[in-house]
Amino acid sequence: MDNKKLIYMDNAATTSVKEEVVKEMIKYLSEKYANPSSIYSISQEVKEDIESARERIAKTLNADRKEIYFTSCGTESDNWAIKGTASFLKDKGKHIITSAIEHHAVLHSMKALEREGYEVTYIGVDENGFIKIDELKKAIRKDTILISIMAANNEIGTIEPIKEIAKIAHENNIYFHTDAVQAYGHIPLDVKDMDIDMLSVSAHKFHGPKGVGFLYIKKGVKINNLLDGGGQERGKRPGTENVASIMGMAKAAEIATENMSENNEKMTKVRDHLIDRILKEIPYTRLNGDKVKRLSNNVNISIEYIEGESMLLGLDFKGICASSGSACTSGSLDPSHVLLAIGLKHEVAHGSLRLSLSEENTIEEADYVVDNLVEIVNELRNMSPLWEDFIKQNK
Ligand code: PLP
């Protein structure tokens, strides 16, 4: 295989934008650029197009058009659901339940609320990353106003039992929000069947553009605004609509939904091939996350006696884009809170590798990645005094 070819296996970070999506977006950046709030007919046409996008997106979730609110990203959707609920229901209660493995968009929203006097309980997970349901039930109090649990984890791919959690929330008269940023377009989500009150999505995780997302809010669920301004999004999320991105997101949503089972089948084959080969060919490795209830595009493996960042640099040198188990987005090298929550030691979490696939990745690419990974791990371990000590002790 050509060394110069880029092998992109970091689709949980972001995805490429599909050609059809780009084409759709260009139309709204060039011809149909009018502000949908203006009075003339071209604006009215754009307004109708946005409503059609809303309708098409709603359909993918079995939602109603009026339950979809466009936002600027998954982070905004999470912030809005959590902070909007907290401020709307502050007289009812100030206690919120979430999990220890949420994305920082959720965890840092919770921290912000704690600074304002709210109390948050962080539910632990088992060794595969499943929320401890008993712990969650015990955490419920009279003043609990919201339970926010992600649909699927962005690092280890574990799919949480959100239907069951929504039921527990509603039996206790509590709102249920789910961060479905990694799940949407990958697993079927039916907001009616799952009885979800709020659900966050981001377009750039399913071959749509960056900087656009939406929040589903069930009819009748009332939360406060995050932003104040004009009348867009029925006054709930003001700001001139990001028309091109909204239209691109609707296109990407339809493509992802239509091809979901075919894509999952393709990705599962590549995922399992990667997992099997890595676990077999590199000693002292372990798979993180559940084997079965796992996103079809997620591989997360801890490789002992390896420093994650060095491994990523080695892979990058071979044209492979991947991710490690440290919180590099925060600019620190602290090990990932998710890997620590499933019980990994700091040093093991540090040596973790996440490969996240798209339907375009092939078995041939997977083989190229594993062949290079084996070499890189050998080289790094040979330079590691810890590995040397370990080998001496085990001789
Ligand atoms: N929630 C999860 C689970 C994510 O994986 C991400 C992004 O990685 C986000 C929220 C934030 O989405 P965005 O990048 O659109 O702000």
Side-chain angles (χ1 to χ4, degrees), residues 140 147 164-176:
I140 292 173
I147 296 178
E164 186 186 345
I165 299 171
K167 188 162 177 272
I168 296 167
H170 293 148
E171 280 165 0
N172 291 279
N173 201 21
I174 298 167
Y175 278 167
F176 177 67

Side-chain angles (χ1 to χ4, degrees), residues 36 172 248 321 328 339 344 373:
N172 291 279
C321 304
C328 36
L339 297 178
L344 297 194
L373 185 65

Side-chain angles (χ1 to χ4, degrees), residues 251-318:
K251 185 62 139 186
E254 280 179 332
I255 298 173
T257 309
E258 270 164 32
N259 299 298
M260 192 187 296
S261 49
E262 192 189 323
N263 288 345
N264 277 337
E265 210 177 298
K266 274 192 211 160
M267 289 190 286
T268 302
K269 278 192 190 132
V270 180
R271 178 196 73 185
D272 292 347
H273 185 70
L274 280 164
I275 294 173
D276 291 348
R277 270 200 69 190
I278 296 173
L279 295 184
K280 200 158 27 157
E281 295 178 34
I282 307 178
Y284 305 104
T285 45
R286 62 156 270 163
L287 176 69
N288 298 316
D290 192 63
K291 268 194 194 133
V292 182
K293 287 184 181 150
R294 169 183 210 100
L295 290 175
S296 63
N297 71 344
N298 177 286
V299 174
N300 190 311
I301 289 179
S302 291
I303 307 176
E304 288 192 54
Y305 304 101
I306 286 293
E307 207 276 301
E309 303 301 305
S310 313
M311 175 169 52
L312 290 190
L313 289 176
L315 288 169
D316 181 40
F317 191 68
K318 297 289 180 181

Side-chain angles (χ1 to χ4, degrees), residues 69-214:
Y69 296 87
F70 296 126
T71 65
S72 68
C73 57
T75 299
E76 185 191 330
S77 301
D78 285 341
N79 270 259
W80 184 17
I82 294 162
K83 294 175 182 171
T85 302
S87 66
F88 191 81
L89 294 179
K90 67 177 185 303
D91 294 334
K92 185 179 172 220
K94 285 189 144 189
H95 178 240
I96 300 176
I97 298 173
T98 190
S99 85
I101 62 162
E102 299 295 313
H103 187 270
H104 285 128
V106 168
L107 290 179
H108 290 172
S109 294
M110 298 295 175
K111 291 287 166 213
L113 289 175
E114 282 176 332
R115 289 194 291 275
E116 286 180 27
Y118 289 81
E119 276 183 77
V120 182
T121 303
Y122 300 88
I123 304 298
V125 294
D126 68 13
E127 68 277 12
N128 289 334
F130 290 116
I131 305 300
K132 290 183 174 158
I133 298 285
D134 282 349
E135 208 177 291
L136 180 129
K137 282 183 183 162
K138 281 191 201 130
I140 292 173
R141 311 189 323 205
K142 274 208 175 69
D143 60 343
T144 308
I145 49 172
L146 175 69
I147 296 178
S148 177
I149 302 288
M150 66 200 325
N153 185 267
N154 46 305
E155 294 190 39
I156 56 173
T158 300
I159 299 169
E160 301 295 342
I162 52 168
K163 185 173 171 177
E164 186 186 345
I165 299 171
K167 188 162 177 272
I168 296 167
H170 293 148
E171 280 165 0
N172 291 279
N173 201 21
I174 298 167
Y175 278 167
F176 177 67
H177 163 252
T178 188
D179 174 340
V181 167
Q182 294 290 338
Y184 181 86
H186 291 274
I187 59 171
L189 292 166
D190 180 324
V191 287
K192 287 205 176 72
D193 174 57
M194 295 173 147
D195 202 14
I196 290 165
D197 295 314
M198 287 166 278
L199 178 143
S200 303
V201 171
S202 176
H204 74 104
K205 308 292 187 181
F206 53 94
H207 300 287
K210 292 169 190 57
V212 66
F214 67 86

